[in-house]
């Protein structure tokens, strides 16, 4: 058998629960996946960190782990789940959505995040989402070292 070489993990997409008291986990589409494990780790370890999961999808049928995040938010007062739909006109006939619509931006976070400027923002999603949202957060006063992202696609 040939030897297998293993390297990594690489990157800086990790949470420091000692320093980061409020994590805002921003996802587009399948970018929600790493935030599921981050949120689970915080709740399973009973950590006091505040976590806001902000999730943007085109239609409600695309919300991944919806029930799991709603349940975590209901059970843990330090966890909040916010989902927004960007293209409600593309919903299947008969489908409904009573939640927020539109893209995530700094104005939305200023409304839903207490102490907006003190939070650490993790963003995972398309390059467009990351570029637009990172620039908007920095323009709104969030220092670059409080914005951590994972690009794909």
């Amino acid at each position: 058998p040939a030897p297998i070489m293993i390297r990594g993990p690489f990157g800086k997409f990790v949470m420091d629960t000692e320093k980061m008291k409020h994590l805002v986990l921003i996802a587009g589409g399948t970018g929600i996946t790493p935030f599921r494990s981050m949120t689970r780790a915080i709740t399973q370890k009973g950590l006091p960190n505040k976590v806001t999961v902000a999730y943007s999808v085109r239609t409600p049928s695309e919300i991944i782990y919806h029930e799991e995040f709603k349940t975590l938010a209901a059970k843990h007062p330090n966890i909040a789940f916010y989902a927004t739909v960007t293209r409600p006109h593309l919903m299947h006939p008969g489908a409904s959505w009573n939640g927020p619509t539109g893209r995530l931006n700094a104005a939305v976070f200023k409304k839903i995040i207490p102490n907006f400027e003190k939070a650490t923002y993790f963003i995972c999603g398309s390059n467009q989402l990351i570029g637009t949202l990172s620039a908007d957060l920095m323009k709104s006063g969030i220092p670059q070292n409080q914005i951590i992202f994972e690009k794909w696609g």
Side-chain angles (χ1 to χ4, degrees):
I4 297 175
M5 185 170 92
I6 299 174
R7 298 176 56 202
F10 299 102
K12 298 178 181 169
F13 201 69
V14 294
M15 59 184 177
D16 181 344
T17 55
E18 292 291 317
K19 292 180 183 173
M20 301 170 180
K21 300 303 178 195
H22 187 172
L23 297 99
V24 180
L25 310 178
I26 306 165
T30 57
I32 194 72
T33 308
F35 300 142
R36 180 184 187 214
S37 59
M38 288 176 167
T39 306
R40 279 180 165 185
I42 286 171
T43 57
Q44 288 171 354
K45 292 177 181 176
L47 298 176
N49 303 75
K50 182 153 179 51
V51 177
T52 302
V53 178
Y55 189 22
S56 177
V57 294
R58 288 178 285 204
T59 65
S61 64
E62 296 175 21
I63 299 175
I64 303 169
Y65 309 124
H66 194 199
E67 291 304 316
E68 183 174 340
F69 277 109
K70 284 183 5 184
T71 300
L72 281 172
K75 286 184 180 179
H76 302 277
N78 59 329
I79 306 291
F81 181 66
Y82 179 90
T84 184
V85 169
T86 60
R87 296 184 185 138
H89 61 281
L90 297 179
M91 290 189 315
H92 299 295
S96 65
W97 175 251
N98 296 325
T101 58
R103 297 194 178 277
L104 294 169
N105 57 44
V108 169
F109 296 119
K110 283 182 179 181
K111 288 180 187 173
I112 67 170
I113 306 295
N115 298 312
F116 165 81
E117 68 286 343
K118 293 182 181 178
T120 301
Y121 295 82
F122 283 81
I123 311 170
C124 187
S126 69
N127 293 342
Q128 180 185 8
L129 172 76
I130 290 168
T132 303
L133 200 47
S134 294
D136 193 34
L137 288 168
M138 285 189 283
K139 191 171 89 177
S140 298
I142 303 299
Q144 190 170 4
N145 68 344
Q146 286 174 227
I147 303 170
I148 302 162
F149 54 83
E150 179 72 22
K151 289 185 176 182
W152 54 261

